[in-house]
Amino acid sequence: MSDHSSQMKDVWADMDTTATEPVQAYLTATGERLRVDGCEVRTEDWGGVPVLIGYRGDFRMRWMATKLHLFTVAAPTTLVTADALQRFTATAMDYVLARKGQLRGFQNGVAVFPALVGTQVEPAASAWAQGGQQMKFAAVARPVAVDAGSGTASAYRGNPALGFIYAAHLRSKLNAYFPVAGA
């Protein structure tokens, strides 16, 4: 885990990871939404930052008899930037691949919702999150930029060409865990 710990220091290098009251309230509510949906939920220390982790595994015949391992990884910050969200997404992807990615592609897929929750979100971060999902072999990440004050959660909610068999499921879970503000 020391490799993971050193990687965490790079992720948090230029971020203020203070969990203000609105950020903490949003993270707490997200944890509850995950629990209600049947996820295993815990908090892990990632380089001194408490990170909310949710996990569920689902098997569907319509997914060509595959199992999808879905992780939600949410962390506090004051300002969500595109650069920070990109680094956090890469780190979250590495984290889930280390846990469930060994057999991916052999009737197993891995997905992650890496979410940075802040009191401010740069427009570039929202645009990057909405721009599409990040892919590796049999693994997908749909980054989420959350403004805890307004409840706005920017993320890709579309239907990609690659990984389309999971698209409806991922959109459903994304909407359940990070609902569209006002919905």
Side-chain angles (χ1 to χ4, degrees):
M1 198 65 149
S2 62
D3 212 21
H4 181 67
S5 296
S6 66
Q7 189 177 18
M8 285 297 97
K9 290 178 183 168
D10 293 338
V11 169
W12 310 132
D14 62 350
M15 292 173 55
D16 177 358
T17 56
T18 304
T20 62
E21 190 173 322
V23 169
Q24 190 54 54
Y26 192 95
L27 288 168
T28 299
T30 300
E32 189 53 34
R33 288 188 292 270
L34 291 164
R35 279 184 197 84
V36 166
D37 194 45
C39 294
E40 298 170 20
V41 179
R42 66 185 180 281
T43 301
E44 289 186 10
D45 181 317
W46 282 22
V49 177
V51 175
L52 176 71
I53 309 282
Y55 168 76
R56 66 177 291 130
D58 293 294
F59 175 86
R60 302 279 192 280
M61 289 302 291
R62 70 176 175 262
W63 295 340
M64 296 184 272
T66 62
K67 183 172 186 174
L68 180 65
H69 299 279
L70 175 60
F71 288 83
T72 301
V73 182
T77 187
T78 53
L79 174 65
V80 180
T81 67
D83 183 57
L85 188 56
Q86 290 168 14
R87 287 190 327 260
F88 186 69
T89 297
T91 301
M93 180 73 91
D94 290 345
Y95 172 84
V96 301
L97 291 176
R99 269 127 196 92
K100 295 288 183 180
Q102 301 85 351
L103 298 175
R104 72 186 194 279
F106 184 70
Q107 295 191 278
N108 281 285
V110 178
V112 61
F113 299 140
L116 285 179
V117 181
T119 51
Q120 293 180 293
V121 177
E122 287 185 347
S126 291
W128 187 76
Q130 293 171 354
Q133 58 188 15
Q134 306 302 305
M135 302 280 302
K136 288 190 177 182
F137 173 71
V140 62
R142 288 195 176 191
V144 185
V146 178
D147 181 329
S150 68
T152 303
S154 300
Y156 177 72
R157 298 175 195 266
N159 293 315
L162 291 174
F164 69 91
I165 64 170
Y166 302 119
H169 180 73
L170 291 175
R171 188 173 39 258
S172 170
K173 296 306 178 190
L174 187 63
N175 290 340
Y177 307 156
F178 301 99
V180 177

